[in-house]
Amino acid sequence: MHHKILILGACGQIGTELTIALREQHGVDNVVASDIRATDDAVMNAGPFEILDATDLHALEDVIMHYEIETVYLMAAMLSGTAEKFPMKAWSLNMDTLFHVLNLAKDKKISKIFWPSSIAVFGPDTPKENTPQLCIMAPSSVYGMSKLAGEGWCQYYHLKYGVDVRSLRYPGLISWKTQPGGGTTDYAVDIFHKAIEDGAYESFLSPETTLPMMYMEDAIRATLSIMESESSTLKKGMAYNVSAMSFNPQELAHAIRKQRPEFQISYAPDFRQSIADSWPDNVSDIEAQKDWQWKPQFYLEDMVKDMLLHLNR
Ligand code: SER
């Protein structure tokens, strides 16, 4: 029998592409997509789909039992921008869902979990350059606090109960298939849509706000790769730094202008500026390279070309 997979938050920015990739790899019927509401037709119509509120433990358990799920990808979360507006709601969503899947694994109802962490676990006192896996964290955003707490719980459930939970600290993710929702790094996706529609973009981050970023194709590859890894050096329970590229709005605009010389950018920083200022410029992923052979394929120029090519169609 095939290994069955459940994706929570399958209609979101990562979930959409992850669902497609997992279905290609494991067969459509072995990958159950779910989300709190049905939004993405490509995901819903292409295979099994359930409307599921991941904070509802009973509903979650029912779906897991019904499909005999072994692996859960928990992609439902409230991102950094929205979480500042609804701190309590963000905390419950981000933490309750994690506890549900960790406890289901502890009770042997599922056997493997993927849970995404983020560069948001770092804070204003963290070294900005080449940020190591472990250093002063002290995040200042609600989202970052939930991710850092989540990392601690993943580590705890792994050490204490042997739960197989794997995790990555995603940088800002850039994709053309699905829009992000409510994050601080969203500007790096919005900018492409506006470049094509209006030839101009007003950035909510200042020109020199450098942040770690990754093209979605690399993020999906990293996710599949850490989940498949049987490497004896892989540290289960640990959220790995993964890095690909790093740029600021000014540099991104410059790269877009190489393809679209008429493109204009202006700046009107909002409340997300202080979140961005508290995050690293770039992170060191030496441990991911060593432990499970991580290597990105997309850098700024290729990413910009690919984004404009697909969005133009
Ligand atoms: N991209 C996310 C955000 O901006 C960080 O994980 O919230």
Side-chain angles (χ1 to χ4, degrees):
M1 214 185 78
H2 263 283
H3 184 105
K4 290 246 182 172
I5 295 170
L6 172 65
I7 301 159
L8 303 169
C11 296
Q13 191 200 11
I14 309 174
T16 306
E17 301 206 24
L18 188 61
T19 302
I20 298 168
L22 285 168
R23 282 180 173 159
E24 266 167 26
Q25 202 176 42
H26 297 266
V28 168
D29 294 334
N30 294 313
V31 180
V32 182
S34 77
D35 208 299
I36 193 155
R37 58 188 89 76
T39 47
D40 193 275
D41 289 343
V43 171
M44 283 187 303
N45 300 332
F49 180 85
E50 293 283 336
I51 300 277
L52 177 60
D53 174 358
T55 62
D56 180 343
L57 178 59
H58 295 293
L60 175 60
E61 209 173 327
D62 281 350
V63 169
I64 285 173
M65 294 302 146
H66 177 76
Y67 288 97
E68 298 177 4
I69 298 294
E70 285 173 49
T71 300
V72 173
Y73 288 75
L74 171 48
M75 314 312 285
M78 198 185 286
L79 294 187
S80 59
T82 317
E84 290 305 302
K85 295 183 182 153
F86 309 103
M88 295 300 118
K89 218 170 143 189
W91 184 262
S92 352
L93 171 63
N94 296 358
M95 301 312 292
D96 290 354
T97 52
L98 176 59
F99 278 120
H100 290 344
V101 293
L102 286 174
N103 284 323
L104 287 164
K106 174 184 163 225
D107 296 343
K108 311 269 182 254
K109 291 176 178 161
I110 52 175
S111 54
K112 203 170 176 182
I113 300 166
F114 178 80
W115 177 76
S117 188
S118 161
I119 51 154
V121 295
F122 299 112
D125 298 314
T126 299
K128 288 254 176 250
E129 294 281 339
N130 214 17
T131 306
Q133 179 67 33
L134 203 60
C135 52
I136 296 178
M137 320 286 283
S140 57
S141 69
V142 171
Y143 175 72
M145 289 192 284
S146 78
K147 287 296 177 189
L148 187 60
E151 284 192 5
W153 283 109
C154 288
Q155 190 76 258
Y156 184 87
Y157 270 69
H158 174 64
L159 294 174
K160 184 114 180 175
Y161 308 116
V163 167
D164 184 349
V165 49
R166 305 181 185 198
S167 185
L168 301 172
R169 287 178 184 151
Y170 289 129
L173 298 181
I174 300 161
S175 56
W176 55 269
K177 285 187 190 146
T178 323
Q179 297 258 23
T184 299
T185 56
D186 293 14
Y187 93 85
V189 179
D190 300 343
I191 194 171
F192 287 100
H193 290 270
K194 287 285 188 302
I196 286 172
E197 286 160 23
D198 310 332
Y201 179 64
E202 185 180 85
S203 168
F204 59 77
L205 297 183
S206 68
E208 276 153 24
T209 312
T210 302
L211 288 169
M213 299 278 181
M214 185 180 280
Y215 201 37
M216 187 60 85
E217 232 178 276
D218 271 340
I220 299 296
R221 229 167 25 80
T223 310
L224 300 184
S225 154
I226 193 171
M227 285 302 273
E228 279 158 22
S229 173
E230 284 177 10
S231 162
S232 60
T233 49
L234 176 87
K235 296 181 195 84
K236 294 176 187 167
M238 181 178 107
Y240 280 90
N241 280 4
V242 278
S243 112
M245 58 183 110
S246 207
F247 55 77
N248 61 37
Q250 192 171 266
E251 287 159 344
L252 180 54
H254 182 73
I256 292 175
R257 230 174 269 130
K258 283 191 190 159
Q259 313 281 322
R260 304 199 145 228
E262 72 291 354
F263 177 65
Q264 298 288 331
I265 187 162
S266 56
Y267 301 93
D270 68 10
F271 72 99
R272 288 166 283 193
Q273 183 65 46
S274 67
I275 303 177
D277 288 340
S278 75
W279 291 350
D281 290 0
N282 54 73
V283 305
S284 160
D285 61 4
I286 187 77
E287 311 230 6
Q289 293 175 35
K290 280 195 305 204
D291 292 359
W292 47 277
Q293 290 72 52
W294 161 246
K295 195 178 182 311
Q297 284 173 357
F298 280 87
Y299 299 96
L300 181 59
E301 303 276 312
D302 329 297
M303 179 276 284
V304 169
K305 270 192 201 142
D306 209 59
M307 282 294 284
L308 290 172
L309 183 80
H310 283 104
L311 290 176
N312 247 328
R313 287 193 184 144

